[in-house]
Amino acid sequence: MRRVLALSLAALAAKAAGLPPEPSRQCAACHPAQSRAHWKTLMALTMASPTEAPLLRANPDLSWKSGPYSYRIFREGDRPVYSVTDGRNTISSPILWALGEGKTGQTYIVEHEGRLYESRASYYGEIKGLDVTIGPEFADPDSLLKAFGRFMTTGDVVACLNCHSVKQPGSPAALRSGSVEWAQARVPGVHCEHCHLSPARHASARMSGDRNTARMRRLKDLVADETSELCGKCHRTWADIDTNGPKGIANVRFQPYRIALSKCYDPGDVRISCTACHDPHDRSKEQAPAYFDKVCESCHRAGAKTVSGRRLRLCKTAKADCVSCHMPKYEIPGSHWKFADHFIRVVRPGEPYPG
Ligand code: HEC
Ligand code: HEC
Ligand code: HEC
Ligand code: HEC
Ligand code: HEC
Ligand code: HEC
Ligand code: HEC
């Protein structure tokens, strides 16, 4: 525990000096452009310690009422505390981590009596306040503890934090995966190593001038299916959703699945890969919706062909703002957010959600 704390203090000092957190700090020296841009993305900011989360700093006292239960997130000294009461009894615990940057939503991992819970109250950017966390398990709590949150199995903790954070370098190897101590010893956010495998070996070999050992997989060469697999580690792959669901509108947020349903999608073409529309490091370039027109037109323009040599059709209806008609937005009930449907298609008025 003390070791983990000392490591966190070192991380805070580096952060104060404007350096990105380890293990991605060493990359910044040689790849300044990617590093500078990355640490401003929502992916990089998708998890934060409660004392640092900008959303909790800006909202030091949040409250919400749901049936007989009243919720509050407030500060005790410097520490944000999450609490729920039914009027007679109260459960109240310090927040361990804030997950989600908050533009769409933010949910809290809270420790209570040595176990971890996913908060039943989440913050939503659209309503600038708390509402119930998405998921059937949060719908009708039959006890104060269930109203507090969902008990997380060690498997839940590991899955959750592997997508939203990385291991703290030097954290004790003996920590039991998914335990409270393991969960504490995380560095928040999506890091370079989430997408670039074995970067530490590369970095040290680069520093010693060993070019062969330093070689990295060139992600620029990936075709659409390979990129979908890479991003699908977190955004879920086509196979994940095809096998496990969900069916219906809840799957609109799983872009690698949705885009594969489009006639536009060709697994071997780079022009329809995630990175054709989204720079993985720099999200500031996207100016909706005209920004995306040139991606559509990399295929849908006079004379362009598919990789197998087929000619592509053109739109007779309009010449700009393609995504506004062909990638409509849908709100998952309770999510307070409209997700762009990556199933690119001709949308008929009043048609039910396909898939
Ligand atoms: C000592 C300097 C140095 C450090 C530290 C370093 N790199 Fe590199 N990296 C290089 C050089 C030089 C290249 C080769 C550039 C080229 O061939 O375009 C490279 C190439 C890469 C590539 C492959 C680019 C391509 O061709 O697609 C990636 C990805 C990469 N580095 C990521 C990282 C990450 C992540 C880290 C942090 C763990 C890191 N690097 C740390 C110097 C460094
Ligand atoms: C390690 C997990 C992980 C991987 C891998 C990953 N993402 Fe993400 N991504 C996230 C999380 C978490 C969020 C939610 C950020 C938030 O709002 O808190 C997100 C959000 C996004 C967003 C919306 C937010 C924004 O910045 O506009 C885009 C676009 C995105 N990811 C694209 C990609 C692409 C493209 C890839 C593959 C090159 C990728 N992601 C790979 C975890 C990941
Ligand atoms: C397989 C990887 C993965 C796992 C596991 C995971 N997340 Fe996420 N999370 C993501 C991605 C990717 C996004 C971006 C979602 C999007 O734009 O559809 C995200 C977004 C979020 C958001 C932002 C609000 C929203 O709904 O978009 C919150 C809050 C969140 N996750 C909390 C959690 C919590 C709490 C857990 C564990 C119980 C968890 N996540 C497990 C990948 C994951
Ligand atoms: C969400 C996934 C993701 C994350 C996180 C990520 N990268 Fe990348 N990176 C990619 C992809 C995909 C490419 C290929 C670029 C392309 O297709 O345009 C790439 C390319 C690169 C390159 C080669 C540059 C080029 O244009 O060929 C370097 C260097 C690099 N990344 C460094 C980093 C560093 C340093 C970090 C951490 C600060 C980082 N990346 C974080 C996905 C990611
Ligand atoms: C042809 C362009 C295109 C491709 C390819 C594409 N996207 Fe998107 N994506 C968009 C548009 C347009 C939006 C909505 C942007 C907005 O409203 O600001 C979006 C939004 C998102 C978001 C934010 C969630 C939301 O809807 O608010 C995520 C996450 C995302 N895309 C991930 C991916 C992933 C992962 C892939 C690869 C499987 C991918 N995208 C491929 C165009 C594309
Ligand atoms: C990799 C090339 C490629 C890209 C990029 C691409 N498409 Fe397509 N698209 C195709 C192919 C191939 C078809 C099927 C044959 C055809 O219509 O020419 C198609 C079909 C369509 C259709 C007709 C679908 C139907 O149900 O008949 C629409 C609408 C469409 N694309 C819109 C778009 C929009 C909007 C974008 C940008 C967001 C886009 N496409 C990007 C290749 C692409
Ligand atoms: C105002 C809404 C709107 C916008 C904006 C728009 N489209 Fe369309 N598009 C449609 C409709 C509606 C159809 C179906 C026409 C029909 O079948 O009668 C269509 C059809 C298509 C088709 C199939 C053509 C065929 O011959 O079947 C393609 C490909 C396409 N659009 C691509 C694009 C691209 C690329 C852009 C941006 C440059 C774009 N669309 C902008 C509404 C739009």
Side-chain angles (χ1 to χ4, degrees):
M1 182 67 187
R2 193 166 298 147
R3 171 106 186 258
V4 170
L5 266 179
L7 286 165
S8 316
L9 288 175
L12 281 178
K15 197 164 181 185
L19 295 168
E22 285 293 15
S24 296
R25 193 179 310 152
Q26 53 181 341
C27 319
C30 301
H31 303 293
Q34 286 85 359
S35 294
R36 258 197 310 274
H38 173 72
W39 293 105
K40 297 194 186 105
T41 64
L42 298 189
M43 279 195 270
L45 303 172
T46 192
M47 180 166 141
S49 82
T51 46
E52 289 182 45
L55 196 155
L56 292 178
R57 283 181 165 276
N59 297 278
D61 199 344
L62 287 161
S63 57
W64 171 57
K65 204 161 164 28
S66 164
Y69 303 110
S70 301
Y71 294 80
R72 253 187 95 195
I73 295 175
F74 60 100
R75 293 207 164 222
E76 229 170 50
D78 196 33
R79 284 202 315 181
V81 169
Y82 169 80
S83 100
V84 58
T85 179
D86 59 9
R88 280 169 293 138
N89 299 307
T90 301
I91 306 180
S92 184
S93 295
I95 292 173
L96 179 59
W97 293 112
L99 266 75
E101 184 271 347
K103 180 181 155 198
T104 51
Q106 187 169 86
T107 302
Y108 306 96
I109 296 185
V110 193
E111 184 189 342
H112 174 62
E113 295 182 342
R115 298 168 138 209
L116 295 175
Y117 291 80
E118 180 181 0
S119 64
R120 180 167 180 264
S122 287
Y123 180 94
Y124 293 95
E126 189 80 8
I127 57 168
K128 297 195 165 44
L130 302 178
D131 200 351
V132 64
T133 303
I134 312 171
E137 60 276 36
F138 294 105
D140 290 307
D142 54 12
S143 69
L144 184 61
L145 188 58
K146 292 241 176 73
F148 179 75
R150 177 178 74 98
F151 166 69
M152 295 174 79
T153 63
T154 53
D156 292 335
V157 176
V158 170
C160 210
L161 294 185
N162 275 342
C163 287
H164 286 268
S165 65
V166 290
K167 178 176 175 286
Q168 204 173 81
S171 64
L175 288 180
R176 191 168 52 84
S177 286
S179 64
V180 174
E181 293 72 25
W182 180 92
Q184 282 167 333
R186 303 292 294 176
V187 189
V190 173
H191 282 250
C192 315
E193 70 179 46
H194 271 122
C195 295
H196 299 289
L197 299 185
S198 317
R201 189 202 57 207
H202 157 78
S204 57
R206 266 288 158 198
M207 282 188 276
S208 66
D210 178 356
R211 291 172 126 236
N212 279 337
T213 309
R215 205 161 286 143
M216 296 283 270
R217 186 177 187 203
R218 277 179 58 85
L219 300 186
K220 227 185 188 144
D221 300 336
L222 302 187
V223 292
D225 240 14
E226 294 168 322
T227 303
S228 274
E229 286 291 317
L230 172 74
C231 308
K233 275 203 301 193
C234 299
H235 292 275
R236 319 303 202 274
T237 62
W238 181 85
D240 287 339
I241 304 304
D242 189 56
T243 316
N244 305 316
K247 290 264 174 254
I249 194 129
N251 68 31
V252 69
R253 66 185 314 159
F254 303 125
Q255 301 84 9
Y257 174 76
R258 295 302 290 173
I259 205 164
L261 302 175
S262 320
K263 286 188 189 158
C264 308
Y265 189 74
D266 179 335
D269 198 327
V270 292
R271 291 173 296 180
I272 196 70
S273 76
C274 312
T275 44
C277 287
H278 304 293
D279 184 319
H281 311 110
D282 188 354
R283 315 294 334 294
S284 69
K285 299 179 192 166
E286 279 174 30
Q287 280 129 24
Y291 170 86
F292 299 101
D293 288 357
K294 61 179 186 338
V295 182
C296 309
E297 287 161 356
S298 69
C299 289
H300 295 286
R301 63 183 156 78
K305 292 186 178 141
T306 63
V307 277
S308 57
R310 225 155 22 90
R311 228 174 236 294
L312 284 137
R313 289 176 290 166
L314 299 177
C315 190
K316 295 179 203 87
T317 309
K319 298 216 169 334
D321 287 1
C322 320
V323 299
S324 64
C325 294
H326 294 295
M327 292 182 72
K329 295 196 173 186
Y330 292 88
E331 181 159 344
I332 302 174
S335 73
H336 302 290
W337 186 257
K338 289 195 165 70
F339 292 89
D341 191 355
H342 285 59
F343 180 178
I344 304 168
R345 64 188 191 280
V346 173
V347 182
R348 303 291 169 194
E351 71 171 20
Y353 177 81

